[in-house]
Amino acid sequence: MKIRIPQDVLWILRKLNNAGYEAYVVGGCVRDSLLGREPNDWDITTSAEPLQVKALFRRTIDTGLQHGTVTVLNHGTGYEVTTYRLDGDYSDHRRPESVTFSRNLADDLMRRDFTINAMAYHPERGLVDLYGGEADLEKKLIRAVGEPEERFREDALRILRAVRFAAQLGFVIEPGTRDAIRGHVEELSYVSIERIETELTKLICSPHPEMMEELYQLGITAKILPEFDRMMETPQNTIYHRTDVGHHTIAVMQQVSSRKVMRYAALLHDVAKPDCKTTDEQGADHFYGHPAAGAEVARDVMKRLRIENRTIDDACVLVYWHDFGLKGDLNEVSFRRGVSRMGIEHFPDYLELRYADMLGQSDYQKEKKEADYQRIVGMYRQLLEEKPPLTVKDLAVNGKDLMDAGVPAGPEMGEMLKKLLDYVLENPSRNTKEILTEYVKNA
Ligand code: ATP
Ligand code: MG
């Protein structure tokens, strides 16, 4: 098996070799190359110690000298060059107390998390695969290097990495590795929220968001996203659904595109259903008010995960509005009002979530739902063509005009602008200076 290594990386390997050191590409880039995927980045492992690496290259960054990592800059790209190392004891379930540099590649491969991530490659020496990584790639297995129990005890982050890689690659977690994970989920509390968010987001945005079920089965969401467990444990006895809230949520995640905002909106769109559930005399379940309540819970969940504000805000709008027009009773006016409140910039994402939500439901009234959806798409297209006023900024009068008409600046001004917007949302042809000034005079 030959791996095509970029020129800049080859140059770094050669330079280290020529100075008498061993050097290999290692980890994710070897795995991805063997899978025929484009690697995200090329990491190099070497027998040279950090100061020796620094002495060889003109432009370097001290990324983590104590851990042996120097970043070598070449044509504007950074390549992490890390000294062969052995990790000391892990007393905090997350970081080794000490690291020891080593002269042996084998030591370095032994400390890595999964067999598919523990392979090194050199253009002349070929593949170094001491743990059967290539065979596991073939078998599509995530298997811990060495004794799984010990590996998860050392570093609980690996629990999340296992499921994340399974989701990204479409792999299965090998049974022994899976059992070991179960025994160590408690230790997830030692992992920083930032690392949890990184791994969870990668899983959620992967080609296999259905691995959320694996997180649940392994008891991981109970620790990091208990809201999801409640969804998995909330049946929906209604003609509109065929599954519990959790499985419906997964189905919707699978139907939306892989953008972060869409996947988080899908994950959380029904998050308040467990709280909003009521059952009528006929035994049918209802979830009144869950979109608005869900937007609040979704915000809390995403804040706890320290997701960036932009994504939180956008996802919460989608959660809040995901049932907009569901009853199929929208008319032109109520449609414009809704779009105005939602913000037209969110509308394409709302449509995407709404369609995915529909596909994740039962077949009850499928044709009607599809027709309602198409009608909303039609109304949206028409709105894009006609460009009616939808915000205060679109009004034919501005603050200065209103002051001239005698409206005092301050809260009254804001109130008046809102009233005017409502007035033109009802009938866009009212959006002229004369008509609006007249309205203000009579108000
Ligand atoms: P990605 O495509 O997400 O970058 P990757 O395999 O390159 O995948 P990184 O987090 O960049 O993952 O780590 C690079 C390599 O370092 C891994 O392939 C693995 O060999 C090793 N590694 C990373 N994190 C751990 C960990 N927590 N425990 C053991 N080894 C790890
Ligand atoms: Mg990487």
Side-chain angles (χ1 to χ4, degrees):
M1 184 67 180
K2 214 162 167 53
I3 289 178
R4 207 195 56 78
I5 302 176
Q7 281 305 319
D8 284 357
V9 178
L10 281 175
W11 177 79
I12 297 172
L13 293 179
R14 295 260 151 73
K15 215 162 150 94
L16 285 160
N17 289 162
N18 291 342
Y21 306 112
E22 290 181 12
Y24 292 81
V25 291
V26 71
C29 61
V30 177
R31 176 197 70 223
D32 289 342
S33 296
L34 292 177
L35 286 170
R37 294 169 177 239
E38 189 68 37
N40 293 328
D41 39 36
W42 291 84
D43 295 330
I44 293 160
T45 186
T46 180
S47 60
E49 294 200 3
L51 295 180
Q52 298 170 320
V53 174
K54 284 181 66 163
L56 277 180
F57 298 94
R58 209 156 57 85
R59 302 194 54 208
T60 61
I61 300 169
D62 296 352
T63 305
L65 290 192
Q66 327 82 293
H67 296 104
T69 304
V70 174
T71 298
V72 173
L73 289 166
N74 194 351
H75 294 122
T77 306
Y79 298 93
E80 286 195 356
V81 178
T82 304
T83 307
Y84 294 162
R85 73 178 215 225
L86 274 163
D87 295 342
D89 279 348
Y90 288 72
S91 49
D92 66 351
H93 308 284
R94 182 56 201 101
R95 283 202 181 290
E97 265 171 28
S98 61
V99 305
T100 322
F101 298 141
S102 159
R103 297 274 154 203
N104 294 314
L105 175 62
D107 288 340
D108 188 77
L109 296 180
M110 188 168 73
R111 72 168 173 92
R112 293 177 184 268
D113 48 7
F114 306 111
T115 60
I116 61 168
N117 289 345
M119 292 180 279
Y121 180 84
H122 184 276
E124 278 101 46
R125 299 180 184 201
L127 188 69
V128 182
D129 176 15
L130 305 179
Y131 298 99
E134 204 179 12
D136 284 341
L137 279 181
E138 213 42 62
K139 288 184 265 186
K140 297 182 183 285
L141 283 181
I142 305 295
R143 184 198 307 270
V145 168
E147 187 51 55
E149 237 352 280
E150 214 171 288
R151 306 318 306 281
F152 294 112
R153 184 177 326 124
E154 287 169 351
D155 180 1
L157 179 66
R158 291 172 187 155
I159 293 171
L160 288 172
R161 283 175 60 89
V163 192
R164 181 263 281 197
F165 282 117
Q168 286 183 322
L169 302 172
F171 282 25
V172 164
I173 303 173
E174 177 273 327
T177 300
R178 204 166 175 275
D179 284 346
I181 288 178
R182 275 185 199 288
H184 291 279
V185 287
E186 284 302 325
E187 284 132 51
L188 281 168
S189 57
Y190 298 105
V191 179
S192 77
I193 196 73
E194 286 78 9
R195 305 304 292 267
I196 290 177
E197 192 274 329
T198 305
E199 296 302 325
L200 184 65
T201 297
K202 283 183 177 177
L203 185 158
I204 286 172
C205 296
S206 76
H208 297 282
E210 67 275 15
M211 289 302 276
M212 286 301 300
E213 173 142 24
E214 181 79 335
L215 287 187
Y216 170 72
Q217 296 293 351
L218 287 168
I220 297 170
T221 45
K223 296 288 155 214
I224 65 170
L225 195 65
E227 294 83 0
F228 187 74
D229 288 43
R230 289 196 66 209
M231 290 196 268
M232 291 298 278
E233 289 151 18
T234 301
Q236 308 190 87
N237 183 21
T238 137
I239 37 176
Y240 297 104
H241 281 279
R242 50 173 177 246
T243 64
D244 58 80
V245 177
H247 283 92
H248 163 69
T249 294
I250 289 173
V252 178
M253 291 175 80
Q254 289 177 294
Q255 293 294 340
V256 295
S257 63
S258 62
R259 281 183 301 136
K260 186 170 179 179
V261 63
M262 291 313 299
R263 287 287 170 87
Y264 271 98
L267 172 68
L268 298 168
H269 78 287
D270 279 348
V271 70
K273 271 191 168 180
D275 288 329
C276 295
K277 181 168 166 169
T278 54
T279 306
D280 65 24
E281 298 94 67
Q282 281 79 46
D285 293 334
H286 301 277
F287 303 94
Y288 300 119
H290 78 273
E296 309 263 317
V297 182
R299 183 170 297 279
D300 291 345
V301 169
M302 289 186 281
K303 274 203 168 146
R304 190 179 73 216
L305 290 168
R306 313 248 171 101
I307 289 172
E308 60 288 351
N309 287 333
R310 181 68 207 265
T311 304
I312 297 182
D313 291 342
D314 291 350
C316 286
V317 169
L318 297 177
V319 173
Y320 184 95
W321 287 96
H322 78 269
D323 273 354
F324 174 58
L326 197 68
K327 293 210 182 91
D329 58 355
L330 283 178
N331 58 35
E332 282 194 8
V333 176
S334 55
F335 181 70
R336 277 195 297 271
R337 285 209 178 110
V339 178
S340 168
R341 281 184 57 207
M342 183 192 309
I344 192 166
E345 66 278 15
H346 295 292
F347 208 81
D349 288 348
Y350 148 79
L351 284 177
E352 184 181 334
L353 179 60
R354 162 106 194 241
Y355 198 77
D357 194 4
M358 189 172 90
L359 293 178
Q361 295 170 2
S362 71
D363 287 342
Y364 177 71
Q365 292 193 330
K366 201 176 172 68
E367 280 82 37
K368 178 179 183 302
K369 282 193 268 184
E370 175 80 35
D372 284 347
Y373 173 81
Q374 289 306 339
R375 189 164 158 265
I376 288 182
V377 172
M379 288 170 105
Y380 174 60
R381 289 223 179 96
Q382 194 182 340
L383 186 135
L384 286 181
E385 248 171 55
E386 293 173 356
K387 297 193 176 60
L390 292 171
T391 72
V392 163
K393 281 201 193 90
D394 302 331
L395 292 175
V397 291
N398 58 29
K400 187 180 170 299
D401 297 327
L402 295 192
M403 282 208 268
D404 291 348
V407 182
E412 272 179 65
M413 172 74 67
E415 279 304 307
M416 182 53 78
L417 286 167
K418 255 197 227 152
K419 276 190 201 157
L420 288 172
L421 179 59
D422 218 46
Y423 189 58
V424 302
L425 283 169
E426 212 171 294
N427 180 352
S429 72
R430 289 170 178 163
N431 194 28
T432 70
K433 202 163 172 173
E434 296 77 57
I435 296 177
L436 297 187
T437 316
E438 191 59 31
Y439 177 92
V440 172
K441 275 191 202 140
N442 297 330

